[in-house]
Amino acid sequence: MPPTRSAVLAAGLAGALAAAVAGVAATPATAQAGAYAATATATVFAPNPVQQLGLQDLADAKDADRPEFGPAYTKVTLTDLDGSGTLTGRYVRVKSSTGAAAKAVGGAFPAYHRDVDQFEQVMGYHWVTTAQHYIQSLGFGSTLRPVNQRQIELRINQYGGDNSFFRDDKANISLGKGGVDDGEDAEVIVHEYGHSVQDGQVPGFGTTLESGAIGEAFGDYLAVAVSSWATGVPARTDEACVADWDSVSYTSAPHCLRRLDGTKHYPEDVRGEVHADGEIWSRALWDIRRALGDRKASTLIIEAQFDFAPDTTFKAAAEATVAAARRLYGTSAASAATKAFADRGIL
């Protein structure tokens, strides 16, 4: 069985519920007026080597930095840093127990590669910050109310299995190290940040199977939306495929953790497992995005979540999403959202 990813072990849920980067010019660290105004250069995958290189035969090989990974390393500028030289910023503070903390020298982090733990530390910082920048680009925090503009703790390689999770009781994300280290795939990082987003909007979100499935689906949707926004729609892999690189350890090519464009239908395809059932909800979100475009779709999808209950049902959440579409963009957008959910059997 392939490994799964969970939001958090939420009380009441039986079992385990459990900007742009490419081509950014290198600039020296700066400390402008105000807190969290420092920047520093660093090296990341953008978003992962399978997407970037189109190579489905890449292998983890125990974190070996083989030559084929070379073209996937991308220089970026980390933003919103506190100026301490550590990976501490406005939206995330990185902690690792498996390697020394990454440290910037002279306004730049060393060009870490995947064979050292510091690479995942930099990846975690960059992609959480990028995800928050994406959300703000939609108007949240300016024309719309803020979404998850808090500093979370991101723990690298804290869990030995091939799994990652968000803990709402501590407001932190832990990234596992089984198989491909989860911190090497931006879409895994952003998926987990999606759980943080929903918890920031609705504390304790995801206490039932249906609400938990919505959480997993939104994490998958956000992962794809952010990676495409930051790096461009992938030309060498399928955009609807989530976490192409992380999934090489447990899937056959073409590698996908899950997909956003599946054909599952409610209720006959419900399996009582949040990741599997989430593919019903994520397909509806994907269809809204295809109908309205990324900006409108993501804006109304995120705005609607303010009206979710911690134990929301598919039907109630769909109704809230249609209402947000109508409120923000009018009847035609509401009709597109209604059709997306009706096509899945939810409305």
Side-chain angles (χ1 to χ4, degrees):
M1 295 292 293
T4 58
R5 317 209 173 274
S6 175
V8 161
L9 306 178
L13 176 58
L17 281 185
V21 297
V24 175
T27 58
T30 61
Q32 305 155 6
Y36 302 116
T39 64
T41 58
T43 299
V44 299
F45 288 148
N48 67 56
V50 175
Q51 278 196 32
Q52 291 172 265
L53 306 176
L55 300 177
Q56 295 288 342
D57 60 351
L58 290 174
D60 178 53
K62 298 183 179 179
D63 295 343
D65 185 35
R66 293 177 171 174
E68 54 263 37
F69 290 99
Y73 291 111
T74 303
K75 183 167 283 189
V76 298
T77 298
L78 306 183
T79 65
D80 302 282
L81 291 160
D82 70 351
S84 67
T86 66
L87 290 168
T88 303
R90 186 183 303 273
Y91 307 114
V92 58
R93 180 178 74 257
V94 174
K95 179 179 179 180
S96 176
S97 67
T98 61
K103 185 77 174 179
V105 178
F109 285 91
Y112 301 120
H113 283 194
R114 65 180 301 265
D115 54 342
V116 296
D117 291 328
Q118 291 80 8
F119 179 71
E120 289 97 74
Q121 295 175 36
V122 171
M123 281 283 291
Y125 183 92
H126 176 68
W127 282 103
V128 166
T129 303
T130 298
Q132 178 56 222
H133 285 178
Y134 170 75
I135 292 169
Q136 290 182 27
S137 79
L138 302 174
F140 293 101
S142 53
T143 58
L144 298 167
R145 58 195 140 170
V147 170
N148 210 39
Q149 291 186 17
R150 58 181 173 175
Q151 185 192 70
I152 65 166
E153 183 177 88
L154 186 129
R155 299 183 173 199
I156 304 297
N157 293 344
Q158 296 289 308
Y159 177 68
D162 195 0
N163 194 12
S164 295
F165 51 90
F166 169 73
R167 291 187 59 183
D168 58 351
D169 61 330
K170 295 181 181 296
N172 67 41
I173 292 170
S174 293
L175 299 177
K177 62 181 180 179
V180 173
D181 291 349
D182 289 357
E184 290 186 31
D185 194 323
E187 292 187 342
V188 175
I189 297 165
V190 178
H191 171 96
E192 297 306 331
Y193 189 66
H195 294 308
S196 179
V197 168
Q198 287 184 317
D199 178 75
Q201 292 180 277
V202 182
F205 181 81
T207 60
T208 61
L209 284 169
E210 288 198 1
S211 59
I214 289 170
E216 298 303 331
F218 175 70
D220 285 352
Y221 174 89
L222 187 67
V224 169
V226 169
S227 65
S228 291
W229 175 78
T231 67
V233 175
R236 297 180 174 91
T237 59
D238 192 343
E239 186 185 21
C241 175
V242 183
D244 325 55
W245 170 224
D246 180 73
S247 59
V248 301
S249 298
Y250 48 84
T251 64
S252 58
H255 300 290
C256 293
L257 171 62
R258 286 179 292 276
R259 297 189 63 89
L260 301 182
D261 59 355
T263 60
K264 291 182 179 180
H265 193 270
Y266 186 86
E268 61 269 24
D269 289 321
V270 170
R271 295 293 177 265
E273 197 283 320
V274 290
H275 302 88
D277 295 349
E279 289 185 297
I280 302 171
W281 187 263
S282 64
R283 171 60 190 269
L285 302 187
W286 182 248
D287 286 347
I288 295 171
R289 186 175 184 262
R290 292 198 299 179
L292 300 178
D294 179 78
R295 183 176 181 84
K296 285 186 177 180
S298 294
T299 302
L300 72 88
I301 286 165
I302 295 171
E303 174 67 17
Q305 293 178 164
F306 282 111
D307 295 326
F308 290 4
D311 60 351
T312 194
T313 63
F314 275 6
K315 184 175 187 293
E319 289 171 344
T321 304
V322 171
R326 180 175 291 107
R327 184 169 66 249
L328 290 174
Y329 302 118
T331 302
S332 62
S335 296
T338 299
K339 182 180 186 304
F341 290 119
D343 287 348
R344 296 300 102 215
I346 295 171
L347 290 179

